[in-house]
Amino acid sequence: MSLLVVGSIAFDSVETPTERRDNVIGGSATYFSYAASYFTKVNLVGVVGGDWPDAHTQLLEERNVDTAGLVKVDGEQTFNWTGKYLPNMNDRETLDVNLNVFGTFDPVLPESYKTTPYVFLANGMPAIQMKVLDQVESPKLVVADTMDLWINEHRDSLLDLLKRIDGLVLNDSEAKLLTGHENLVSAAKAVLDLGVSFVVLKKGEHGALYVSADDMFVLPAYPTEAVKDPTGAGDSFAGGMMGYLASVDDTSAASIRRALVYGTLVASYNVEDFSLDKMREIEKSDLDARFEQFQSLVNFT
Ligand code: AMP
């Protein structure tokens, strides 16, 4: 089954304690699409400025990402984000964000996208996420991501969105900010009370927690020493998770657990290099090999 994503497409400038990269390919929808493309066809909805090279779009098209919904506005600039990681490589500071063309984006779905059964509203303005949701016809599963900026400054429209979607994926700190609960399980349950059927809390290097009304699942992150740039870990996690679910077209508890494992594994590769660089090197078979390794790492009787 195909999978639709809307979110940011960006130029990122990233500083880690040892290295720096300027104006590399980034954005929530970009990381998500690339990660999901190991599993299924992706319909991308987004906007870029005239400064976005066609070669970047081709990179996605080569991965079976449909870019009919990617709008290029000549004379405007692409969204850009600048961030700096603290020495623990988990916490980061946003140094600069320029929404540019993303700030006034009014998404119009190509006719061919409207019946996409799996939908992911990647990190972006809740009003834009909702506009996309308005245009899809009876999707099977709608999941969204969000961040502190939208929780703080667009809270009401975010709360409206939560009443219309199935699942929410967000960081532990964002769940605390959204609900006021310090305890993660309480925070997850409070998110369910806001109208979603399930919530996935991303805990960075500490893994992920899935909570629904009748199930709970915890996973550590795949242990790797080779963390070079954590940017996009959350988006590639979501891409792996949703890509797997769309590929099996099944949202049973067993499939959701496997989807969370694939999300964890794509993210574990993504952090091994800047931008999309590591994901560009790997194949689905690498994910399957790491799946088996991970299974033995978490297995106990
Ligand atoms: P992650 O590390 O998974 O949280 O995702 C980082 C990506 O999110 C970067 O590539 C940024 O370009 C993008 N990003 C940063 N801030 C925002 C924002 N306010 N809205 C949408 N995307 C953003």
Side-chain angles (χ1 to χ4, degrees):
M1 291 279 159
S2 56
L3 169 63
L4 183 148
V5 61
V6 60
S8 62
I9 297 170
F11 287 124
D12 287 347
S13 295
V14 180
E15 195 181 316
T16 71
T18 53
E19 280 180 88
R20 185 185 168 94
R21 295 281 195 286
D22 287 305
N23 297 317
V24 293
I25 304 177
S28 56
T30 318
Y31 277 110
F32 179 94
S33 301
Y34 209 96
S37 74
Y38 296 106
F39 303 93
T40 196
K41 178 178 176 288
V42 180
N43 294 333
L44 173 65
V45 181
V47 67
V48 291
D51 53 353
W52 183 258
D54 290 338
H56 288 2
T57 306
Q58 275 161 21
L59 195 69
L60 296 168
E61 285 169 350
E62 283 160 14
R63 293 284 326 171
N64 207 13
V65 176
D66 189 332
T67 60
L70 175 63
V71 179
K72 187 168 181 172
V73 186
D74 287 322
E76 296 227 29
Q77 290 204 307
T78 302
F79 171 81
N80 61 66
W81 174 80
T82 304
K84 179 181 175 172
Y85 286 88
L86 303 185
N88 67 13
M89 287 295 265
N90 211 25
D91 299 317
R92 73 177 174 215
E93 204 184 325
T94 291
L95 301 178
D96 197 22
V97 190
N98 295 298
L99 292 179
N100 296 332
V101 71
F102 189 51
T104 51
F105 183 38
D106 189 10
V108 177
L109 260 54
E111 214 45 53
S112 58
Y113 282 21
K114 290 187 176 170
T115 52
T116 314
Y118 288 79
V119 176
F120 189 75
L121 309 170
N123 188 11
M125 210 178 296
I128 294 180
Q129 294 175 310
M130 216 127 43
K131 272 188 183 163
V132 167
L133 193 49
D134 288 342
Q135 296 171 61
V136 285
E137 293 161 17
S138 327
K140 281 190 173 177
L141 183 75
V142 182
V143 179
D145 190 355
T146 194
M147 73 182 297
D148 50 0
L149 177 70
W150 316 119
I151 296 170
N152 285 325
E153 294 178 22
H154 295 245
R155 195 180 182 89
D156 288 345
S157 57
L158 178 62
L159 293 178
D160 287 344
L161 176 78
L162 296 185
K163 295 186 187 89
R164 299 183 52 195
I165 62 174
D166 301 298
L168 183 68
V169 177
L170 76 177
N171 289 338
D172 45 4
S173 59
E174 293 159 353
K176 291 177 186 176
L177 184 68
L178 178 62
T179 64
H181 286 277
E182 280 297 319
N183 178 281
L184 279 192
V185 179
S186 309
K189 287 182 176 169
V191 176
L192 297 184
D193 290 340
L194 296 174
V196 293
S197 310
F198 68 85
V199 57
V200 180
L201 297 188
K202 298 171 287 180
K203 303 184 290 170
E205 62 180 339
H206 303 298
L209 168 70
Y210 168 90
V211 181
S212 70
D214 48 21
D215 197 16
M216 194 184 282
F217 182 53
V218 279
L219 259 188
Y222 178 85
T224 172
E225 287 182 291
V227 182
K228 213 165 171 186
D229 171 21
T231 310
D235 306 310
S236 54
F237 170 89
M241 175 187 113
M242 289 296 287
Y244 176 77
L245 286 176
S247 74
V248 294
D249 189 20
D250 177 26
T251 55
S252 64
S255 286
I256 287 183
R257 286 176 178 226
R258 288 178 78 86
L260 291 165
V261 172
Y262 274 116
T264 298
L265 298 178
V266 186
S268 76
Y269 274 115
N270 179 58
V271 300
E272 291 181 9
D273 211 337
F274 283 85
S275 188
L276 304 177
D277 292 0
K278 188 69 191 186
M279 288 201 286
R280 288 174 69 175
E281 278 177 18
I282 63 160
E283 302 290 337
K284 171 73 168 42
S285 55
D286 295 300
L287 293 170
D288 290 331
R290 205 169 258 199
F291 189 103
E292 276 188 29
Q293 251 179 318
F294 194 43
Q295 211 161 25
S296 68
L297 283 171
V298 296
N299 185 36
F300 58 88
T301 51

